[in-house]
């Protein structure tokens, strides 16, 4: 099972591709309205550990609620492979959808529930 390390990933159609160094020992299963409907499992990393390799021009931004997170969807296939935003302390972060990582079985990862509905 992959843990901390370098990973690649992207959307379904392949227009959006990225590289990330992330610890997958425990991923976030948020119950907010968008994560629930999209089935997202998340790993959070600082921007220095994330590189968008292709597809900046294919991204469509969606925000809701407090509008602190930019949910970025591929305009071609509709997949949200990552989001950009800020932590409560104001620090920038990237939320990577671990379901979009190459060669990672999301069913093998430990999930930590997060009550995003209460935000």
């Amino acid at each position: 099972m992959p843990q901390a390390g370098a990973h690649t990933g992207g959307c379904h159609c392949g227009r959006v591709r990225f590289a990330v160094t992330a610890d997958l020992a425990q991923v976030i299963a948020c119950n907010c309205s968008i994560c629930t409907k999209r089935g997202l499992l998340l790993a959070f990393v600082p921007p220095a550990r994330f590189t968008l390799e292709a597809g900046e021009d294919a991204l469509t931004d969606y925000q809701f609620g407090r509008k602190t997170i930019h949910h970025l969807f591929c305009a071609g296939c509709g997949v949200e492979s990552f989001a950009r935003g800020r932590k409560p302390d104001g620090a920038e972060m990237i939320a990577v959808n671990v379901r979009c990582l190459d060669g990672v079985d999301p069913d093998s990862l430990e999930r930590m529930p997060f009550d995003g509905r209460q935000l």
Side-chain angles (χ1 to χ4, degrees):
M1 169 172 59
Q3 299 291 321
H7 303 278
T8 58
C11 67
H12 186 259
C13 71
R15 288 171 65 186
V16 175
R17 296 292 303 162
F18 62 86
V20 64
T21 301
D23 183 356
L24 302 180
Q26 192 173 67
V27 298
I28 304 297
C30 179
N31 69 355
C32 78
S33 59
I34 197 162
C35 288
T36 298
K37 290 184 182 288
R38 304 290 293 192
L40 300 179
L41 292 176
L42 303 167
F44 291 86
V45 299
R49 292 179 29 200
F50 179 88
T51 303
L52 182 60
E53 296 179 332
E56 182 75 41
D57 61 335
L59 294 173
T60 299
D61 189 8
Y62 175 71
Q63 296 180 330
F64 69 100
R66 296 182 185 168
K67 299 187 188 245
T68 58
I69 300 174
H70 296 266
H71 297 271
L72 300 167
F73 299 89
C74 173
C77 65
V79 169
E80 179 182 1
S81 52
F82 71 97
R84 293 183 179 130
R86 296 194 177 274
K87 294 179 181 180
D89 67 3
E92 290 184 45
M93 60 86 187
I94 304 289
V96 175
N97 180 0
V98 299
R99 292 183 184 278
C100 292
L101 296 176
D102 301 329
V104 173
D105 176 8
D107 291 332
S108 71
L109 303 175
E110 181 180 341
R111 299 172 191 201
M112 182 177 82
F114 178 78
D115 191 5
R117 287 185 184 146
Q118 299 305 311
L119 296 180

